[in-house]
Amino acid sequence: MAPKKNDKASIKKDIVQHSVETLCRNPYNLDKLAVYQATAYSVRDRLLEDWNMTQEAIHKENPKRCYYLSMEFLIGRALDNALHCLEVKDVYKESVKDLGFNLEDLLQQERDAALGNGGLGRLAACYMDAAATLDYPTWGYGLRYQYGIFKQLINSDGYQIEMPDYWLDSNGNPWEFPRNDVRYEVQFYGYVATKVNEKGESRMSWEGGDRVQAMAYDVPIPGFDTKGCGNIRLWASKSLKTFDFASFNDGDYDRSVADQKNAENLTSVLYPNDNHLVGKELRLKQEYFFVSASLQDIIHRFKRSNCAWKDFPDKVAVQLNDTHPTLAIPELQRILVDIEGLDWDAAWDIVTRVFAFTNHTVLPEALECWSVPMMEHILPRHMQIVYDINLFFLQKVEKMNSDRGLLNRVSIIEESNPQQVRMAYLAVVGSHTVNGVAALHSDLVKTELFKDFVSYYGPEKFINITNGITPRRWLYQANPDLRDLITETLGGNHWVTHLDDLKGLTKYADDADFQAKWMNIKLKNKVRLASWIKANLDITVDPRSLFDIQVKRIHEYKRQFMNILGVIYRYKNLQLLSAEERKDVTPRVVIFGGKSAPGYYVAKMVIKLINTVAQVVNNDDSIDGLLKVVYIPDYNVSLAEIIVPASDISQHISTAGTEAAGTSNMKFVLNGGLILGTVDGANIEIRDEIGEENIFMFGTLADKVADIRHQQKYHGVEIDPNLQVVLQSIQSGEFGGPETASVFGPLINTLTYGGDYYLISADFEKYLDAQDKVDETYKDTAAWAKKSILCTAGMGFFSSDRATREYADKIWNIKPVNIKEAAV
Ligand code: H53
């Protein structure tokens, strides 16, 4: 087949053809949605050529491959990204214009693929982008949820309301290829029997129970400046049993389709918790369904290459994105021992050379533990295998050190009632390498979370790979004006795939002309966001104000509560100022966004407080518009693309030692936004790269947090005097009246009676000081511009290309595939 041409006439012809032949629409009566879809199909055709070529190249070369197993991929929209990666955006813009449409309008028709909660899922998407760009033989595996992360509405009382995200609505999804021929059976429940195989050996066998089917859907992931195109294979659950005619004929219509519905429910919804375990049976089934289908597929591909099992680790690397896919460890052991007939030790040697595990959190509430009775019920054979893995591991530990306390501490089984399987420990024992996601976090992983494992295995098994973000989506696509200025200044777009090139901007940091251009672009991006806010929320904000943004999941450890308490403090101070004094005030727009887990009461109260404060502040004419508060509902990837380029300051203010890395911090700084942040996660490395004079850092250090908590436990919390004033104003009903004030009682109690676990009071004064410094610095436009330029210039290290290369070299041991050569 002749390759698709990228001239205007061919593109227009393709779009019209898809309108008629794929969508069955009359070309003279097309709406935006139809033209978006036809355009998407035409782009998909072009991507498909690269996809096929890449897969063929990998097939021919048959190198070692890596599989990235992640329960979440927060991809966002695909069309704009594909147009940029294929470098055809301009010609497409003109083509659809000729057809009477505006490309930017069409892009808005696409629904986000929001198959993730937050940082972990977005990181997976950034790594797939980098792997495709770097031509690595890497595939992602995930689940094709019918409902992505819920849609968030904010009601008129300021509360979060959740609505289902049925993203695969009747319009279909042009960005996936259903693979009707790629299906596997997945088993649940049942019992374990002993069977004699053809060699006369006695083997365990998992019998009975229920079975569902996993069907593959492939999502192409375009690379940049390459013919390569990556792939994420998502599994959907289907029923193995077709329509039940007996029930149907009996008139029991519900029952006739019940099996089908039950099976399909398995991959119906994404669990909406970020950094928090829920422990529901359906979630455990999702996790097993996911790893079972993925491993069957990986093994099927491996077997086609006619290699022996002993070569499996030389052909296959599997990265576990957090503990969610950890059942892959006992599952591979089961396949090798029960089905393939390997002896236990040979199988375990293979398993432990295949898997590697990324830890993304040290928060106790996020560490997955599954109850033993539940696991025994759903996965009886796996439970036995986990017991055996644990037994052999503990025997080895005991040989080295017979301290009973140690055995208890490292046991994969927690001796609680009921017993629990500690998934993170299983992941450590079954993997050859464990990595944290930022330097401080990896340190805490070694010295606290897995301390005993480090003394058993030695420190080499535990490494750090600091997270990275893709510059394609997060600068090249989201900030076209800055992209063009950088490209013009650096003399080409080599930087898009070699982000260290941004260093070249350093020499323009003091150049007044360059500063003016730079700040003008920032202003333009702020105008764009201000227009969005006006159009969608009917709030007027002045783009010349300082834009101060905190957008991320709402969680106590991220301390959005501290931010809004600081806003109240600012508001009360403004009220006290004379007209003369006000002239000296830097006007601010404080912008929040983010979803709370539906069952997370305290986080939902924080949202309510922010909206209640916004209501009062935004309607108070006496403060001369010097402060505005905006809550952007339904924060998602597409909104981030508008929000991130518009920040002057963004806040990353987690209690030290709680945010593993953070990745939105990187996105803001890459776009010339300064950070107000704590000494936590990747903020620290960002400071090291851009220079401490270009970041506002404050707060208790991680190694002091435990002491303060201890102090508070025995001596109570000493509430900061400024904070006291703020809390009193909430309690007195200044925000929302006396009835609303009582609603905030439980929230305020988290600081007082609760023991202020996240150290808001302890950090409050330093936080306010840092905010003062921000205000002062912003008054000097040239100094600010210089900092902003140096921020972007220093961000080379945080490219997902660097991070993915580190995974490839230090963990996966894979090399890029030569796609161009294979294509000839
Ligand atoms: O993973 C991000 C980190 C971030 C961390 C986040 C995360 C989740 O989004 C969900 C579960 C989990 O264990 C960790 O909170 O700090 O940047 C990617 O590594």
Side-chain angles (χ1 to χ4, degrees):
M1 229 169 17
K4 294 272 172 205
K5 293 202 194 117
N6 287 333
D7 58 282
K8 228 166 51 163
S10 309
I11 289 171
K12 282 195 285 189
K13 189 171 142 264
D14 289 348
I15 294 175
V16 172
Q17 194 166 352
H18 274 298
S19 307
V20 177
E21 293 176 8
T22 311
L23 304 173
C24 191
R25 298 285 296 251
N26 179 337
Y28 300 103
N29 179 22
L30 290 174
D31 54 14
K32 281 188 208 163
L33 179 61
V35 182
Y36 152 69
Q37 284 195 300
T39 307
Y41 281 115
S42 79
V43 172
R44 184 179 93 159
D45 291 343
R46 285 157 174 79
L47 220 52
L48 193 66
E49 291 172 357
D50 294 353
W51 194 97
N52 280 327
M53 198 167 1
T54 309
Q55 302 319 317
E56 196 187 324
I58 299 176
H59 182 75
K60 270 194 193 146
E61 200 176 307
N62 192 24
K64 182 175 182 184
R65 305 173 195 232
C66 169
Y67 300 104
Y68 195 84
L69 265 56
S70 179
M71 290 283 281
E72 301 189 10
F73 285 96
L74 194 43
I75 299 172
R77 288 180 177 148
L79 177 55
D80 201 19
N81 185 246
L83 290 171
H84 280 101
C85 286
L86 295 169
E87 297 186 79
V88 293
K89 183 152 183 190
D90 289 341
V91 61
Y92 260 86
K93 192 179 276 176
E94 288 166 27
S95 306
V96 299
K97 193 169 164 210
D98 283 1
L99 296 172
F101 291 87
N102 173 320
L103 182 59
E104 294 305 320
D105 288 347
L106 299 184
L107 298 177
Q108 302 302 319
Q109 297 297 312
E110 183 177 351
R111 298 187 65 154
D112 273 37
L115 308 181
N117 276 285
L120 172 131
R122 183 55 231 176
L123 185 79
C126 281
Y127 285 173
M128 292 304 103
D129 171 291
T133 296
L134 298 172
D135 298 337
Y136 280 123
T138 298
W139 271 22
Y141 276 107
L143 288 181
R144 181 181 177 270
Y145 303 106
Q146 285 173 285
Y147 294 88
I149 187 65
F150 63 85
K151 291 217 149 301
Q152 179 196 51
L153 305 180
I154 302 294
N155 73 8
S156 56
D157 288 331
Y159 286 105
Q160 165 177 303
I161 307 291
E162 300 92 19
M163 301 290 280
D165 169 42
Y166 190 55
W167 70 295
L168 296 166
D169 54 20
S170 48
N171 297 317
N173 174 12
W175 304 107
E176 65 181 11
F177 300 104
R179 300 292 187 197
N180 274 295
D181 54 328
V182 183
R183 294 174 186 255
Y184 300 99
E185 279 185 25
V186 179
Q187 186 178 359
F188 297 105
Y189 309 109
Y191 58 93
V192 181
T194 317
K195 277 198 166 168
V196 178
N197 66 14
E198 45 302 354
K199 292 188 213 153
E201 300 158 339
S202 147
R203 294 279 161 182
M204 295 299 189
S205 175
W206 183 14
E207 303 284 328
D210 287 353
R211 281 175 164 72
V212 294
Q213 195 176 58
M215 180 182 144
Y217 288 75
D218 286 342
V219 179
I221 303 296
F224 186 89
D225 192 26
T226 168
K227 278 276 147 204
C229 180
N231 191 39
I232 301 179
R233 179 159 281 187
L234 301 177
W235 300 107
S237 57
K238 309 270 171 186
S239 174
L240 269 166
K241 298 175 198 142
T242 45
F243 194 75
D244 177 1
F245 269 106
S247 304
F248 185 75
N249 289 338
D250 286 346
D252 192 347
Y253 304 125
D254 286 349
R255 216 163 131 197
S256 65
V257 291
D259 266 326
Q260 217 152 343
K261 286 267 159 289
N262 272 340
E264 279 165 19
N265 277 346
L266 195 54
T267 52
S268 185
V269 278
L270 163 76
Y271 273 90
N273 306 284
D274 191 80
N275 255 305
H276 193 90
L277 155 87
V278 273
K280 294 266 189 277
E281 175 164 333
L282 182 63
R283 167 72 181 198
L284 183 61
K285 288 179 74 175
Q286 283 187 340
E287 291 185 359
Y288 178 65
F289 172 83
F290 167 47
V291 302
S292 166
S294 306
L295 276 178
Q296 290 185 64
D297 200 41
I298 292 167
I299 290 171
H300 173 81
R301 195 168 303 115
F302 169 74
K303 284 190 168 173
R304 276 199 322 213
S305 67
N306 287 324
C307 293
W309 272 115
K310 69 170 178 36
D311 300 324
F312 194 64
D314 299 323
K315 286 288 178 196
V316 172
V318 178
Q319 189 69 32
L320 304 173
N321 195 27
D322 215 319
T323 53
H324 316 148
T326 299
L327 285 169
I329 290 170
E331 171 67 354
L332 182 58
Q333 183 72 4
R334 184 186 72 85
I335 293 170
L336 295 177
V337 174
D338 294 1
I339 300 172
E340 299 292 335
L342 272 69
D343 70 46
W344 179 277
D345 289 343
W348 188 241
D349 176 64
I350 291 171
V351 168
T352 49
R353 287 197 292 135
V354 164
F355 291 105
F357 161 50
T358 306
N359 172 279
H360 295 266
T361 188
V362 295
L363 298 183
E365 69 268 29
L367 293 172
E368 278 192 301
C369 284
W370 288 107
S371 105
V372 167
M374 192 196 288
M375 201 182 274
E376 227 152 29
H377 178 55
I378 299 173
L379 303 167
R381 178 61 183 138
H382 295 80
M383 196 58 244
Q384 291 180 340
I385 290 173
V386 171
Y387 271 128
D388 285 346
I389 291 172
N390 195 36
L391 176 71
F392 299 137
F393 169 63
L394 291 181
Q395 282 172 346
K396 285 191 195 147
V397 177
E398 197 177 19
K399 264 194 201 148
M400 251 176 61
N401 183 337
S402 57
D403 167 9
R404 288 205 69 79
L406 174 68
L407 292 183
N408 236 319
R409 289 201 302 279
V410 297
S411 174
I412 295 169
I413 307 294
E414 183 185 285
E415 296 302 333
S416 46
N417 190 9
Q419 290 176 309
Q420 305 276 332
V421 183
R422 295 159 160 164
M423 300 305 273
Y425 289 8
L426 179 58
V428 170
V429 172
S431 297
H432 58 86
T433 306
V434 177
N435 78 285
V437 291
L440 171 68
H441 168 243
S442 298
D443 229 56
L444 294 173
V445 162
K446 277 209 232 181
T447 55
E448 290 182 13
L449 193 62
F450 300 139
K451 185 171 154 206
D452 293 315
F453 292 89
V454 173
S455 48
Y456 171 69
Y457 286 111
E460 301 77 26
K461 175 166 173 159
F462 300 84
I463 68 171
N464 173 56
I465 301 185
T466 299
N467 284 344
I469 54 164
T470 170
R472 269 73 65 181
R473 184 176 292 262
W474 297 114
L475 175 48
Y476 193 84
Q477 177 186 330
N479 200 342
D481 291 323
L482 197 65
R483 165 196 72 206
D484 291 346
L485 178 63
I486 293 172
T487 300
E488 185 194 307
T489 311
L490 298 180
N493 69 8
H494 185 258
W495 62 271
V496 185
T497 45
H498 301 80
L499 205 62
D500 287 328
D501 287 5
L502 292 179
K503 266 270 162 311
L505 297 173
T506 310
K507 63 171 183 263
Y508 302 94
D510 284 307
D511 176 330
D513 274 357
F514 189 76
Q515 286 184 351
K517 284 186 195 160
W518 188 270
M519 292 311 280
N520 220 8
I521 291 169
K522 181 59 83 182
L523 182 64
K524 217 172 138 191
N525 290 329
K526 288 164 70 179
V527 169
R528 175 169 71 160
L529 178 57
S531 314
W532 188 95
I533 291 172
K534 182 69 190 166
N536 291 276
L537 306 173
D538 198 24
I539 301 173
T540 307
V541 297
D542 183 349
R544 286 161 308 176
S545 311
L546 187 156
F547 276 24
D548 168 350
I549 304 181
Q550 189 180 20
V551 282
K552 45 183 83 229
R553 287 297 289 238
I554 310 295
H555 208 299
E556 282 167 285
Y557 85 83
K558 295 180 191 274
R559 300 200 293 191
Q560 285 94 351
F561 190 21
M562 184 163 81
N563 185 351
I564 192 65
L565 293 168
V567 169
I568 296 175
Y569 177 82
R570 177 179 291 269
Y571 174 58
K572 294 192 72 64
N573 265 359
L574 274 176
Q575 288 176 322
L576 301 175
L577 296 184
S578 67
E580 198 49 35
E581 286 169 320
R582 282 189 188 168
K583 284 192 187 146
D584 204 31
V585 171
T586 307
R588 261 210 208 214
V589 179
V590 185
I591 298 169
F592 293 86
K595 296 174 186 178
S596 155
Y600 192 168
Y601 177 74
V602 177
K604 286 182 134 178
M605 277 297 139
V606 172
I607 296 177
K608 160 77 179 161
L609 179 61
I610 296 168
N611 285 304
T612 309
V613 172
Q615 189 69 25
V616 173
V617 170
N618 297 344
N619 291 305
D620 183 346
D621 294 335
S622 77
I623 55 165
D624 304 334
L626 289 172
L627 178 62
K628 286 281 167 84
V629 181
V630 179
Y631 201 99
I632 296 185
D634 202 38
Y635 176 61
N636 60 15
V637 172
S638 292
L639 280 172
E641 289 166 19
I642 303 173
I643 295 169
V644 167
S647 85
D648 294 305
I649 277 286
S650 67
Q651 299 200 33
H652 308 273
I653 54 176
S654 47
T655 315
T658 61
E659 187 71 272
T663 39
S664 72
N665 43 6
M666 300 169 190
K667 292 166 198 165
F668 282 104
V669 183
L670 182 63
N671 284 278
L674 275 62
I675 281 187
L676 170 58
T678 43
V679 190
D680 198 21
N683 291 353
I684 300 171
E685 287 149 273
I686 293 176
R687 176 195 64 195
D688 296 346
E689 293 291 318
I690 66 174
E692 62 183 344
E693 63 287 4
N694 299 316
I695 186 166
F696 301 94
M697 279 188 127
F698 71 96
T700 307
L701 300 183
D703 59 359
K704 298 285 177 295
V705 170
D707 285 351
I708 297 180
R709 282 184 183 151
H710 184 79
Q711 285 281 327
Q712 289 180 350
K713 200 165 163 193
Y714 291 100
H715 306 291
V717 182
E718 207 180 301
I719 296 286
D720 172 274
N722 285 321
L723 180 58
Q724 192 70 55
V725 175
V726 170
L727 296 181
Q728 267 159 11
S729 79
I730 299 173
Q731 280 161 330
S732 72
E734 239 176 88
F735 302 97
E739 268 164 45
T740 306
S742 62
V743 169
F744 297 125
L747 184 57
I748 293 175
N749 286 348
T750 64
L751 304 181
T752 49
Y753 300 116
D756 191 18
Y757 188 75
Y758 295 101
L759 270 55
I760 287 181
S761 182
D763 276 351
F764 201 63
E765 189 184 344
K766 292 174 211 131
Y767 177 59
L768 297 181
D769 290 348
Q771 287 281 23
D772 286 346
K773 222 168 143 196
V774 170
D775 286 322
E776 272 317 294
T777 314
Y778 195 69
K779 288 177 189 159
D780 183 345
T781 311
W784 190 276
K786 178 175 178 181
K787 288 180 192 301
S788 170
I789 295 164
L790 291 176
C791 275
T792 304
M795 287 304 285
F797 178 76
F798 299 97
S799 168
S800 50
D801 298 348
R802 183 272 311 154
T804 304
R805 255 194 214 106
E806 279 196 55
Y807 278 93
D809 295 345
K810 296 182 186 165
I811 301 184
W812 306 333
N813 191 21
I814 60 165
K815 298 268 173 300
V817 174
N818 194 341
I819 292 163
K820 287 197 189 91
E821 214 158 80
V824 181

